[in-house]
Amino acid sequence: MAVEVVIVGAGIVGAACARSLARAGARVTVLDRGAAAAGTSAHGEGNLLVSDKGPGPELELATVSLHRWAALADELPDELGPRFPSVEHEAKGGLVVVTSAEGLAGLRRFADAQRASGVEAVEMSAEQARELEPDLAPGVVGAVHYPQDAQVQPVAATEALLASARRAGAEVRTGVEVTGPLLGAGGRLTGVVTSRGEVAADAVVVAAGPWSAEVADRLGSWIPVRPRRGMVLVTTPMPQRIRHKVYDGDYFAATQSAGAELQTSAVIESTQGGTVLIGSSREQVGFDERFRAEVPAEMARRAVAVFPFLARTNVMRSYLGFRPYMPDHLPVIGPDPVRAGLWFATGHEGAGVGLAPATGDLLAAQLLGLEPPVDPRPYAVDRPTLLETRPLETQP
């Protein structure tokens, strides 16, 4: 008999888990209290990056996912047909630029370590960087080119993965909120209570992004995911002048920071529709959605420092979202150590789109007893770096 799995969350990670599980033979039901792809997945840029990840488990997961996305870009159109919107997979490559000798030295050290882990990282002089991006600011003194970096349209990608999961037998129910657990013998989780009735399952996967802690609490468990707010600016359409994903050398430090204060770095790229996306910001303010003018102002200042011509460009809109932050900057992918039957696939912060395919495959492999694509231990819920933040009453 097929394993019955409930996935809580219809964003990019939940969609990838649903596809991997359904194609491996599980009976999958995806639940979301809102619409599919309406949370974190709808408020990002669709990054598929290795350039911002140092050697270690996250880079390993990203490398596997990068290959999976390239394959999915071919598989999904064949599977779903020409009428389904494209995921807009674009292997545009990334370019990290610096404006000081100190920054260049740090970037070189970082790139050296990445190359030792198999990342393509090509050091460039300022002149070589301007061959790739002619409009770079005069102050740029050097760069590293990352040909492997790519991008997808995150909402289209999420919808495509969900459609593929449906073709494999999965059911997606939106407007359904999980309110509590169904418990069996020994306190094992045997399903969920929802706003529209009970749903039985052999396993429940929490893939609710920054809302995962709330869902875990309702199901009688705990996980240290919390929201980290970010904003993106969108310019009016223009002839394409930015050819790669370009960001300044401060971006990696911002992604790895544990600080709650506002942090910004320049992340700039064109879209196929002609707009330019400008990021990025990070701040821990809970789920506060109030607009703060200083955030886009600082982002715009940083962007103009990389591409001066943007000072003459109009921003037509901005959007903000919440990313699932983990204190040790690694996602959790695996079973809960306390509540049998409960699983997690969350905590990817801003890398959820890029890491989604490998996350889905890793989660499915563990749950169904298959060969995992990577060693699951670094992503375990009870890893030492998370146990030290866990309340004593919830210790395994």
Side-chain angles (χ1 to χ4, degrees):
M1 178 178 285
V3 175
E4 295 191 355
V5 183
V6 164
I7 298 174
V8 185
I12 190 77
V13 171
C17 291
R19 183 180 192 267
S20 295
L21 284 162
R23 287 167 67 90
R27 292 180 58 185
V28 178
T29 302
V30 181
L31 306 176
D32 200 297
R33 65 183 178 187
T40 301
S41 300
H43 297 89
E45 297 165 282
N47 293 333
L48 316 180
L49 304 182
V50 293
S51 56
D52 65 339
K53 297 170 181 64
E58 188 182 30
L59 178 58
E60 184 178 7
L61 201 66
T63 301
V64 173
S65 262
L66 204 62
H67 292 299
R68 291 290 293 116
W69 270 121
L72 285 166
D74 294 327
E75 292 171 13
L76 291 170
D78 289 343
E79 183 182 345
L80 302 177
R83 298 182 64 181
F84 201 93
S86 169
V87 302
E88 298 181 19
H89 181 267
E90 187 177 3
K92 62 173 60 176
L95 188 69
V96 183
V97 301
V98 290
T99 57
S100 69
E102 181 182 4
L104 183 57
L107 181 58
R108 282 172 176 161
R109 290 191 296 270
F110 184 63
D112 286 343
Q114 290 176 301
R115 277 190 289 268
S117 296
V119 173
E120 295 179 48
V122 183
E123 186 178 336
M124 293 188 160
S125 66
E127 292 72 23
Q128 291 171 319
R130 287 190 181 85
E131 291 178 6
L132 296 182
E133 294 289 348
D135 288 309
L136 284 173
V140 169
V141 299
V144 173
H145 179 219
Y146 291 90
Q148 295 166 289
D149 280 358
Q151 184 179 24
V152 293
Q153 208 294 330
V155 174
T158 302
E159 293 287 7
L161 292 172
L162 287 173
S164 177
R166 288 190 186 97
R167 287 176 59 88
E171 181 182 2
V172 180
R173 304 182 194 172
T174 56
V176 179
E177 183 170 2
V178 171
T179 58
L182 289 177
L183 299 177
R188 180 181 180 85
L189 193 62
T190 59
V192 292
V193 180
T194 81
S195 55
R196 298 193 180 183
E198 298 179 350
V199 184
D202 300 303
V204 176
V205 179
V206 176
W211 298 275
S212 294
E214 177 184 353
V215 177
D217 182 65
R218 292 182 181 186
L219 298 179
S221 187
W222 176 90
I223 193 167
V225 177
R226 58 180 183 263
R228 202 177 195 188
R229 193 173 86 160
M231 179 177 282
V232 175
L233 308 180
V234 185
T235 73
T236 52
M238 67 179 77
Q240 190 176 64
R241 295 176 65 173
I242 300 171
R243 306 168 185 176
H244 304 77
K245 179 180 291 291
V246 182
Y247 55 93
D248 65 33
D250 290 337
Y251 181 67
F252 174 74
T255 65
Q256 299 302 301
S257 170
E261 72 280 1
L262 173 64
Q263 300 166 50
T264 61
S265 55
V267 183
I268 310 150
E269 63 191 308
S270 296
T271 69
Q272 293 185 8
T275 60
V276 173
L277 304 181
I278 298 172
S280 68
S281 68
R282 284 171 168 77
E283 53 186 334
Q284 293 185 37
V285 292
F287 287 105
D288 188 347
E289 295 184 343
R290 289 175 294 182
F291 180 80
R292 294 174 53 208
E294 63 268 29
V295 179
E298 179 63 17
M299 291 165 59
R301 184 191 68 79
R302 281 186 168 271
V304 169
V306 176
F307 287 111
F309 80 88
L310 290 173
R312 303 183 299 276
T313 302
N314 293 322
V315 172
M316 65 177 180
R317 65 185 177 94
S318 66
Y319 56 88
L320 62 83
F322 300 97
R323 306 167 181 131
Y325 170 84
M326 292 293 290
D328 63 356
H329 305 287
L330 273 180
V332 286
I333 308 166
D336 185 87
V338 175
R339 176 74 79 193
L342 179 61
W343 295 71
F344 291 100
T346 187
H348 300 73
E349 200 177 332
V353 176
L355 301 180
T359 295
D361 291 347
L362 178 57
L363 187 284
Q366 293 181 84
L367 203 155
L368 300 177
L370 307 175
E371 182 68 25
V374 298
D375 183 355
R377 289 174 294 181
Y379 318 99
V381 183
D382 58 353
R383 59 186 184 253
T385 50
L386 293 188
L387 280 178
E388 62 191 29
T389 67
R390 192 177 186 113
L392 289 176
E393 64 269 20
T394 66
Q395 293 279 359

